Amino acid sequence: MGQTKEVIKENKMGTMPVTKLIFTMSLPAILSMTILAMYNVVDSIFIGNYSQKGLTAMSLVYPLQLVLISVSVGTAVGVNSLVSRKLGEKQFEQANSAATHGLITCFFSYALFLILGIFSVRPFMSLFSTDAETVQYGVDYLTIVLCLSLFSIIQVMIEKTLQATGNMIYPMLFQMVGAVVNIIFDPLLIFGVGFFPEMGVAGAAIATVFGQFCGMLFAVIVLFTKTHEVKITFKGFKLSANVLKQIYAVGFPSIIMQSISAIMTLGLNAIFTANNSAASVTVLGVYFKLQSFVFMPCFGLNQGVLPVLGYNYGARNKKRVYSTLKVGITVAVSIMAAGVLLMWLIPDKLISLFGGDQSLMNAGVPAFRIISLCFIPAAVSIILITLFQATGKGFRGLFISFARQLVVLLPVAYLLSVVIGVDAVWYAFPIAEAVALVIALLFFVNLVRNDFKKLQ
């Protein structure tokens, strides 16, 4: 088993120059999340070129995939926040306990998705499509991905646990292994290359799960054979309600915050379906895949910034907290600005990757340009929400996401569809993001005036 270091020395998160530290911590995570974005997009690109109905099915199953990601990542964020804070406070045994509890929670989460995979997939698909072929494609994909989701849940937990100690390289490698395996096996199993059978959408799901298994296996080996600043041990371990409470104080709001995206997507799909706009349903799915190339690097930055903020907040170092926040916002805005340029300059080329017809192109080009207006304000909100998570104020991030996606975006989208038409629905994205940013800034001011007074 990995052992804690015998000689305790100051963690780099409390000593290294902030700008250098942020890039050292974030670049591997940014690369890792970019790889994850590729992981998600590759399936849809291959499936789009295999079957347009398969691509529509992938758009419809996306909300349940979001729920899976939300639970696994949200819980792991709670563990990451607790571990990094305990390390900053020099409470190493409590950090070890938090990490061990994190691994146990993986099996709680998996039980939920196993049940969903067995009982809910076909009823879910039937709600949004009457086309038998589209429904079957969705059932094939979701059943495999949900029933074998334990691999991805464990991998994510180990990634976040190691990131809390400042180790960003191994999590990147875990993602890279899974992505490479998935990319290799996708065309082999979808189209049936060589001695591999043609499995279509089911083949994409199998390739995805196999990639996740390989990434998890690598992560488990590294966790238990290498030396880390936290130690996972089950000897004398007792499940603590208090530790779980601390994990989910940040983790549960993060889960809900990310799951809200699934509800929002379901709502938008319902609006488009009610307006008989199948092309818009597919555009929404394609957009979410492509925007991940912009948002995933920001979330990678988020992963590097979170433990630094948590550590220095725990160490009561106000200057380093502010410096980290400033660098994080600057880099996030730069990433998002690049995304806006891509969405405005080459939206047609991006859509063509998915083998779409002219109706998809006509609906997608203006949609991409309109939605991208929300990118830059979203960058600031993402980093501020990261600050709230790092300081144990996870419910503030939950409130912001709830307001953005449910209180503002869905009602505005519905009103626009009724008053102007379905093509105007996309304006709901920048409107909602502007409101979310205002709320985030108000919460930040409150944090500065209250909690930051105890920092030195």
Side-chain angles (χ1 to χ4, degrees):
M1 296 229 173
Q3 301 294 320
T4 53
K5 297 177 180 178
E6 294 182 1
V7 179
I8 302 300
K9 60 181 181 179
E10 182 67 26
N11 192 293
K12 66 181 181 181
M13 290 187 285
T15 59
M16 184 182 290
V18 169
T19 300
K20 180 180 179 182
L21 176 61
I22 293 298
F23 280 98
T24 300
M25 294 281 289
S26 298
L27 285 177
I30 290 172
L31 178 57
S32 174
M33 296 302 284
T34 302
I35 291 169
L36 180 60
M38 184 183 302
Y39 203 149
N40 294 330
V41 169
V42 163
D43 278 352
S44 293
I45 290 177
F46 283 125
I47 289 172
N49 286 277
Y50 178 81
S51 166
Q52 283 294 293
K53 288 186 177 181
L55 183 60
T56 301
M58 292 295 288
S59 298
L60 293 174
V61 306
Y62 187 63
L64 275 187
Q65 287 184 282
L66 277 178
V67 174
L68 171 59
I69 294 170
S70 299
V71 172
S72 57
V73 173
T75 305
V77 164
V79 174
N80 179 292
S81 176
L82 182 57
V83 169
S84 62
R85 278 183 280 133
K86 293 306 176 184
L87 290 176
E89 296 166 0
K90 304 296 189 285
Q91 297 182 19
F92 300 103
E93 288 303 318
Q94 292 187 34
N96 292 341
S97 176
T100 305
H101 275 78
L103 205 57
I104 295 297
T105 64
C106 293
F107 296 92
F108 300 156
S109 299
Y110 173 61
L112 169 65
F113 291 104
L114 180 61
I115 293 171
L116 287 176
I118 294 172
F119 297 107
S120 70
V121 172
R122 187 170 293 278
F124 173 81
M125 286 300 301
S126 298
L127 286 174
F128 296 96
S129 179
T130 57
D131 183 85
E133 188 177 0
T134 300
V135 169
Q136 190 59 49
Y137 279 142
V139 170
D140 291 344
Y141 189 87
L142 267 183
T143 301
I144 294 170
V145 168
L146 294 181
C147 289
L148 297 175
S149 60
L150 180 62
F151 309 139
S152 64
I153 294 171
I154 291 177
Q155 179 185 329
V156 167
M157 181 59 66
I158 295 175
E159 287 173 7
K160 292 292 184 289
T161 300
L162 294 184
Q163 286 169 356
T165 70
N167 187 331
M168 309 302 287
I169 300 300
Y170 275 124
M172 177 190 69
L173 295 177
F174 304 156
Q175 291 280 3
M176 187 174 295
V177 167
V180 169
V181 171
N182 180 52
I183 291 169
I184 290 173
F185 280 89
D186 253 335
L188 300 179
L189 294 176
I190 292 173
F191 298 103
V193 178
F195 60 84
F196 290 95
E198 180 182 336
M199 302 179 70
V201 174
I206 293 171
T208 295
V209 169
F210 185 53
Q212 292 167 348
F213 170 76
C214 292
M216 180 211 70
L217 184 62
F218 183 27
V220 169
I221 291 172
V222 168
L223 180 67
F224 290 109
T225 62
K226 301 293 183 180
T227 299
H228 311 290
E229 198 167 349
V230 291
K231 175 184 176 182
I232 303 287
T233 178
F234 299 103
K235 184 178 180 180
F237 173 78
K238 291 183 179 179
L239 200 64
S240 167
N242 182 52
V243 174
L244 291 174
K245 180 180 178 181
Q246 292 181 75
I247 289 172
Y248 284 104
V250 172
F252 184 72
S254 183
I255 291 170
I256 300 300
M257 182 171 61
Q258 297 180 74
S259 296
I260 288 170
S261 297
I263 298 173
M264 179 265 291
T265 306
L266 286 172
L268 289 174
N269 282 340
I271 290 171
F272 291 137
T273 300
N275 284 273
N276 297 313
S277 182
S280 294
V281 172
T282 306
V283 166
L284 185 65
V286 171
Y287 161 73
F288 278 124
K289 296 296 182 179
L290 287 174
Q291 62 96 37
S292 65
F293 276 110
V294 182
F295 278 82
M296 285 298 188
C298 266
F299 293 145
L301 173 68
N302 168 321
Q303 291 179 20
V305 168
L306 176 60
V308 179
L309 286 171
Y311 185 96
N312 287 287
Y313 180 77
R316 305 292 187 263
N317 192 325
K318 180 187 291 188
K319 181 178 179 181
R320 289 181 68 82
V321 169
Y322 276 122
S323 296
T324 301
L325 189 63
K326 180 180 178 181
V327 174
I329 290 175
T330 301
V331 176
V333 168
S334 300
I335 293 171
M336 289 297 197
V340 174
L341 287 176
L342 289 175
M343 288 292 186
W344 275 82
L345 296 177
I346 56 168
D348 52 338
K349 291 181 173 58
L350 295 174
I351 295 170
S352 67
L353 292 173
F354 297 83
D357 55 21
Q358 191 58 45
S359 64
L360 186 64
M361 196 71 68
N362 293 340
V365 169
F368 281 13
R369 288 174 173 162
I370 294 168
I371 298 174
S372 67
L373 297 175
C374 77
F375 285 5
I376 291 177
V380 180
S381 294
I382 287 170
I383 300 302
L384 289 179
I385 288 173
T386 302
L387 173 65
F388 303 145
Q389 292 172 333
T391 55
K393 308 290 183 183
F395 277 96
R396 296 188 180 191
L398 169 60
F399 184 87
I400 293 167
S401 292
F402 184 83
R404 175 202 294 124
Q405 299 180 76
L406 298 187
V407 176
V408 179
L409 195 150
L410 277 183
V412 169
Y414 176 74
L415 288 174
L416 289 173
S417 71
V418 172
V419 176
I420 301 177
V422 70
D423 292 338
V425 166
W426 309 111
Y427 285 101
F429 282 85
I431 293 171
E433 201 60 60
V435 173
L437 179 58
V438 171
I439 297 172
L441 290 172
L442 292 174
F443 277 142
F444 173 66
V445 170
N446 176 266
L447 190 70
V448 170
R449 290 178 176 176
N450 294 284
D451 297 65
F452 277 19
K453 287 183 179 180
K454 63 187 175 183
L455 303 184
Q456 299 175 355

